[in-house]
């Protein structure tokens, strides 16, 4: 009975630990002159990873990536234990850039082969979404190649009194997705 209880407890802790929120393990690179922020996320991490930067004006700028689905979702029994199929194969992620007056996000599918992670590639980018306060976005486009995805737009602020180009870009290298945002 005691062994069963311990096994159940370990199993529940494993499942709860599987869906976690963690901060990005890479450093934040900021170029204030170009209004760009860059963060690298490890695709071998589960759940949600996010990093927030506070600019000189006190605005919070957050880049986030969330694991949505794996091709072979779930846990498979193997011998005496359990084996997770993640992180190899096809996975889907939601990537987001959020600041006080603007939010941009889209979904990206990534395939990381078990044989050689350097052959990982982006297989799709879709469902681009945005919101804006006191402004609007136009000329939006979402493009991707095997190593890069880009959601870009022209922003107009306060009825045309200001404007800029904004984007959210993901660059894939092995199991790392480097997110760059222009705000």
């Amino acid at each position: 009975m005691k062994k069963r209880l311990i096994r159940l407890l370990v199993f529940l802790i494993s499942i709860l630990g599987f869906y976690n929120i963690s901060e990005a393990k890479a450093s934040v690179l900021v170029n204030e002159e170009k209004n760009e922020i860059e963060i690298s996320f490890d695709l071998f991490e589960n759940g949600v990873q996010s990093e927030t930067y506070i600019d000189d004006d006190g605005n919070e700028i957050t880049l986030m990536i969330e694991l949505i689905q794996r091709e072979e979702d779930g846990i498979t029994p193997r011998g005496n234990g359990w084996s997770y199929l993640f992180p190899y194969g096809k996975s889907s992620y939601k990537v987001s850039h959020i600041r006080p007056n603007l939010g941009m996000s889209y979904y990206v599918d990534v395939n990381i082969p078990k044989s050689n992670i350097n052959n990982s590639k982006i297989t799709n980018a879709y469902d681009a979404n945005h919101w804006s306060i006191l402004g609007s976005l136009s000329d939006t486009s979402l493009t991707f190649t095997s190593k890069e995805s880009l959601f870009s737009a022209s922003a107009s602020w306060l009825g045309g009194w200001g404007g800029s180009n904004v984007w959210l870009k993901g660059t894939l290298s092995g199991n790392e997705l480097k997110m760059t945002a222009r705000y």
Side-chain angles (χ1 to χ4, degrees):
M1 179 71 173
K2 194 173 188 178
K3 286 183 183 179
R4 230 184 234 175
L5 184 59
I6 291 172
R7 286 182 187 165
L8 179 62
L9 184 59
V10 168
F11 177 73
L12 290 175
I13 290 172
S14 316
I15 289 177
L16 292 175
F18 186 68
Y19 294 102
N20 63 354
I21 296 177
S22 62
E23 290 189 1
K25 296 194 171 146
S27 61
V28 179
L29 300 174
V30 178
N31 185 334
E32 288 280 344
E33 291 176 12
K34 292 184 176 182
N35 292 335
E36 290 181 8
I37 183 169
E38 178 181 292
I39 302 170
S40 294
F41 294 101
D42 183 354
L43 298 182
F44 284 179
E45 294 288 321
N46 291 317
V48 177
Q49 298 177 66
S50 70
E51 189 69 52
T52 300
Y53 168 74
I54 299 177
D55 69 11
D56 291 339
D57 297 327
N59 297 314
E60 286 187 7
I61 303 164
T62 302
L63 286 178
M64 183 176 3
I65 184 169
E66 177 181 4
L67 173 65
I68 301 297
Q69 173 183 352
R70 294 177 305 278
E71 181 178 73
E72 299 173 6
D73 207 357
I75 308 169
T76 57
R78 186 170 293 168
N80 249 354
W82 294 83
S83 172
Y84 291 91
L85 299 171
F86 179 77
Y88 301 103
K90 181 180 171 189
S91 299
S92 298
Y93 299 89
K94 180 179 181 181
V95 295
S96 305
H97 165 225
I98 303 164
R99 58 176 288 116
N101 65 333
L102 174 68
M104 299 176 79
S105 67
Y106 63 92
Y107 292 85
V108 63
D109 293 342
V110 176
N111 186 31
I112 302 176
K114 193 171 189 176
S115 59
N116 184 356
I117 66 170
N118 292 323
N119 291 333
S120 62
K121 60 177 137 178
I122 295 172
T123 59
N124 197 8
Y126 52 96
D127 287 346
N129 195 0
H130 69 274
W131 57 265
S132 175
I133 297 174
L134 300 175
S136 62
L137 269 61
S138 61
D139 301 324
T140 60
S141 74
L142 177 61
T143 59
F144 76 95
T145 65
S146 65
K147 295 293 182 183
E148 187 176 280
S149 58
L150 175 66
F151 178 31
S152 62
S154 296
S156 175
W157 306 113
L158 300 170
W161 285 94
S164 66
N165 292 322
V166 293
W167 67 77
L168 177 59
K169 177 172 70 171
T171 306
L172 182 65
S173 176
N175 64 310
E176 185 177 278
L177 188 63
K178 179 173 49 174
M179 298 303 303
T180 307
R182 179 155 195 250
Y183 53 91

